[in-house]
Amino acid sequence: MKPGGEYADTLVVARRDEVASDVVALTLRHPTGRELPAWEPGAHLDLILDTGLTRQYSLCGDPADRASWRIAVLRAPAGRGGSARVHDTLAEGTEVRVRGPRNHFALRPAARYLFIAGGIGITPLLPMTAAAEAAGADWTLLYGGRTRASMAFADQLAARHGDKVRLVPQDEEGLLDLAPYLTARSGPGTLVYCCGPEPLLQAAEEACRDWPDGALRTERFQPSPRTDAETEPAGGAFELVLTRSGLTLTVQPERSVLRTVEAAGVPVLYSCEEGTCGTCETDVVEGEVDHRDSVLTDEERATGETMMICVSRCRGSRLVLDL
């Protein structure tokens, strides 16, 4: 992703709906009615709030609607303030800066799907279920939440798709039991898409451990637990070459590639600095990457074509980036 290469503009909140307990859905439009960039299921959007916070929210509307974008935001009392800012200040008619969309959770063609959502993790799966239905695919949605009242869009999903949707409120039925559904949907041609809190994602990863590589796709709200290799110290300094800027820099062990590039005056987009949002993804020209993000799949990491410069580093002594 090249700096400045993404859409960035000021949109207006055209509609605000309470879609569940502590969940608000915002419909965003351009103030002039201008058409918005196209997107595909799985994409998310940056909201750049007036406090300097930047937060990512999945697009959950209709990709065919080029006049508006829709997101849904859960108020997280234990969060870092972004969701509270959205709930408390983004009323209808309010303007907000946006950036994106970008997509590291794209829906791939398949004969069968199992979609697994936990809480607000339903948002990226909404357009996915619609796309699967339109394509004539065989699909099931397993959707869990704390209570029925906390599960955004649950009623409309159940009414529209009937027994393809299985709602599991925790206070009524306990935690999601993934095993029966994964067993029923297993087999060649099945893809699993899962989004929600970390315990759910880890349960899905454990249950799909023997499935073919790439059969499970997850999207995280926070960094995934680090492997032993990822928790090792950063190692020594390495040389960093920026081809478009014509600079050769040194990345010290205590400093990230992102901060090194920024200190050299090279503009680069970034947001979370945790390796979860994908904003700082950068093309790699040469060098072996020590991937420490929670965005790229194993297959994408193996290609070595891109890296998240906020957390990932170089395994060797020299790294060349397209910056």
Side-chain angles (χ1 to χ4, degrees):
M1 199 76 65
K2 310 298 188 301
E6 289 186 318
Y7 176 84
D9 209 339
T10 297
L11 302 185
V12 64
V13 179
R15 179 169 175 170
R16 176 182 168 120
D17 299 295
E18 303 290 334
V19 292
S21 175
D22 288 328
V23 180
V24 62
L26 304 179
T27 300
L28 307 174
R29 297 180 182 269
H30 196 276
T32 67
R34 185 185 307 161
E35 191 174 75
L36 300 175
W39 60 279
E40 295 181 348
H44 67 260
L45 185 71
D46 290 348
L47 290 193
I48 305 170
L49 305 173
D50 57 8
T51 54
L53 295 172
T54 300
R55 294 292 182 265
Q56 293 75 41
Y57 299 105
S58 296
L59 288 165
C60 60
D62 181 1
D65 179 7
R66 298 292 297 277
S68 68
W69 285 337
R70 195 181 197 208
I71 60 173
V73 181
L74 168 70
R75 182 191 287 271
R80 294 173 294 173
S83 65
R85 194 69 180 171
V86 170
H87 276 251
D88 295 341
T89 66
L90 294 189
E92 290 185 4
T94 304
E95 292 188 338
V96 62
R97 289 285 295 172
V98 303
R99 188 171 62 208
R102 70 181 63 86
N103 197 344
H104 285 284
F105 194 46
L107 182 67
R108 303 196 317 242
R112 290 183 302 278
Y113 296 98
L114 175 59
F115 300 108
I116 304 172
I120 198 62
I122 189 61
T123 49
L125 303 186
L126 283 175
M128 288 188 180
T129 58
E133 182 73 10
D138 178 15
W139 65 273
T140 299
L141 169 65
L142 184 60
Y143 180 12
R146 291 181 293 102
T147 65
R148 194 172 293 270
S150 73
M151 297 168 66
F153 311 109
D155 291 340
Q156 74 177 57
L157 281 165
R160 182 176 303 169
H161 299 297
D163 59 7
K164 290 184 178 181
V165 177
R166 174 76 168 93
L167 304 178
V168 186
Q170 184 178 343
D171 63 337
E172 298 176 22
E173 302 188 37
L175 294 173
L176 285 174
D177 182 7
L178 302 184
Y181 295 92
L182 288 166
T183 299
R185 308 298 288 181
S186 63
T190 299
L191 295 182
V192 181
Y193 282 79
C194 183
C195 185
E198 187 60 33
L200 175 64
L201 300 184
Q202 291 188 43
E205 289 171 342
E206 179 61 31
C208 292
R209 188 173 299 280
D210 296 328
W211 282 47
D213 290 344
L216 171 66
R217 294 296 306 271
T218 61
E219 184 168 62
R220 285 180 151 82
F221 303 142
Q222 59 189 28
S224 59
R226 300 304 189 193
T227 65
D228 291 342
E230 290 170 336
T231 56
E232 290 175 356
F238 59 90
E239 182 180 83
L240 177 66
V241 179
L242 309 182
T243 56
R244 284 190 285 127
S245 303
L247 295 175
T248 298
L249 310 172
T250 298
V251 180
Q252 299 294 344
E254 71 281 358
R255 184 171 246 187
S256 68
V257 173
L258 170 63
R259 288 304 182 189
T260 302
V261 169
E262 188 179 45
V266 177
V268 62
L269 296 177
Y270 66 92
S271 177
C272 70
E273 296 191 70
E274 295 179 327
T276 59
C277 74
T279 307
C280 70
E281 184 177 11
T282 302
D283 290 341
V284 177
V285 178
E286 182 183 332
E288 185 179 1
V289 180
D290 177 10
H291 292 288
R292 299 185 175 214
D293 65 274
S294 301
V295 178
L296 298 176
T297 64
D298 289 341
E299 295 89 341
E300 290 168 334
R301 289 182 174 197
T303 68
E305 293 177 353
T306 67
M307 67 181 290
M308 305 303 156
I309 61 173
C310 64
V311 292
S312 297
R313 302 182 66 80
C314 178
R315 288 193 181 278
S317 60
R318 187 171 184 267
L319 183 66
V320 183
L321 300 180
D322 184 22
L323 284 175

